[in-house]
Amino acid sequence: MGDDAVCESGQLAKTNLLGLSRGELTDFFVTLGEKPFRAQQMLKWIHQAGVDNFDAMTNISKSLRSQLQQCAEIVAPEIVTQQDSTDGTRKWAIRVTGGSLVETVLIPSDGDRATLCVSSQVGCSLDCSFCSTGKQGFQRDLTAAEIIGQVWLAIKSYDGFNQGNRRVVTNVVMMGMGEPLLNFDNVVSAMNLMLDDFAYGLSKRRVTLSTSGVVPALDRLADVSEVSLAISLHAPNDELRDQLVPVNRRYPIAQLLASARRYIDKQSDTHRVATIEYTLIAGVNDSVAQARELALLLKDFPCKINLIPFNPFSMSDYQRPSKNAINRFWQVLVDANFVTTIRSTRGDDIDAACGQLVGQVADRTKRSERHRASYTDSEPVKFVL
Ligand code: SAH
Ligand code: SF4
């Protein structure tokens, strides 16, 4: 097949190969009349060597390279700012097509491990009462290229590709901006690349999808993915959860836990558990009585619990509980035999902690004022950066 044949296919925009999973890349090359193994070569060039220029792909013939120049591209979103915290956390503001900004955070942990917190949407429609992303309203889904592009850029930023050290990122959590299950196909494609041995080769235990509980999508996920699961619970009963996590009114706790259990039961390896995330907010969900109620609720549910002290942001009146209150809550759960961790607040000095993402950018655009106005009117909140 010559160059003309490709362009005769009526394709107007170039295909961005960055976001294509192995299956999609295989289809792409077969359409070009090429052998399927080209997909593996391309994955390695893009995701293991960090190459975004077809000319550098020395094991691909010149004629195929020039064909690719015409109908394909490898384009990552653009880093706008990079901030380093005193604790080693690094946060990037990333501009995606159309000009919106999302954030990605790399959090180093013990030894040479680091967890990358990746965004899946610009804003979020689910409007949890304690979340700054929710306060922005929903703008749009990220493409698969924009999601995996965050991993690609993070590694590039550390020069990990050049040093052959793409293991700079050892874990990925889909806990940045947005609800990943509301951007199902693109998130699944991107997670497939994270797991693919020809791309990032992460173990399924080291890729975690966090959801506030879109039950039908979680049921679908069980059919196509085996990544680790985190459930954002935040309340021990429906009455309180309805207030904090409005999607609970549609899919209450019992349905959510049943769906999470189905997900875990479907996994091929035994002893999998879900992580229950519980953001502790002073005077709202942090009492000893609520800790006991939570222990009772989760009595037979296979999980570990991660307590996240609330991270304040400018548009919220909520407060972080005292250390004592956090420890008391933790102790009740530990006494009830739950493996329970308290998330240390990282990147505080650069607003990189959970629920604070794009706080600074938002303030710069005076979005907070607009937000308040919208809320007084109880209108659905939508912002454009
Ligand atoms: N939408 C998904 C993933 C992104 S939020 C979800 O809700 O699970 C990632 C985690 O950060 C969630 O557990 C969320 O509840 C928590 N979070 C959001 N805002 C927070 C805040 N201000 N302080 C502490 N944790 C917060
Ligand atoms: Fe969306 Fe998650 Fe924030 Fe809720 S906590 S508004 S689901 S990003």
Side-chain angles (χ1 to χ4, degrees), residues 327-364:
N327 287 339
R328 270 199 303 270
F329 199 96
W330 174 83
Q331 192 66 55
V332 172
L333 298 171
V334 170
D335 289 347
N337 291 324
F338 288 95
V339 174
T340 310
T341 48
I342 301 173
R343 186 175 297 171
S344 62
T345 305
R346 306 290 303 271
D348 237 2
D349 53 332
I350 55 169
D351 277 350
C354 277
Q356 291 181 321
L357 300 186
V358 187
Q360 285 195 338
V361 178
D363 285 352
R364 252 190 265 134

Side-chain angles (χ1 to χ4, degrees), residues 5-7 9-32 42 46-47 51-54 57 64-76 97 143-146 148 186 189 193:
V6 177
C7 298
S9 66
Q11 187 180 350
L12 294 174
K14 291 184 174 185
T15 304
N16 189 358
L17 303 189
L18 182 66
L20 299 193
S21 61
R22 190 174 346 166
E24 290 163 337
L25 266 179
T26 303
D27 292 346
F28 173 82
F29 279 109
V30 167
T31 314
L32 293 191
M42 187 56 71
I46 298 174
H47 301 288
V51 166
D52 56 1
N53 168 8
F54 295 120
M57 301 181 177
L64 177 55
R65 276 186 277 166
S66 78
Q67 212 174 351
L68 289 170
Q69 311 271 22
Q70 293 181 44
C71 63
E73 59 186 2
I74 301 161
V75 180
T97 313
T143 64
E146 289 164 343
I148 202 67
N186 293 335
S189 283
L193 283 168

Side-chain angles (χ1 to χ4, degrees), residues 234-237 240 244 278-296 307 319-322 324-333:
H234 311 306
N237 57 59
L240 181 58
L244 302 182
Y278 194 103
T279 297
L280 281 167
I281 309 167
V284 174
N285 63 357
D286 65 338
S287 72
V288 164
Q290 285 162 321
R292 291 199 184 114
E293 197 181 351
L294 182 65
L296 204 61
L307 302 175
Q319 317 253 307
R320 182 181 296 177
S322 67
N324 274 347
I326 294 171
N327 287 339
R328 270 199 303 270
F329 199 96
W330 174 83
Q331 192 66 55
V332 172
L333 298 171

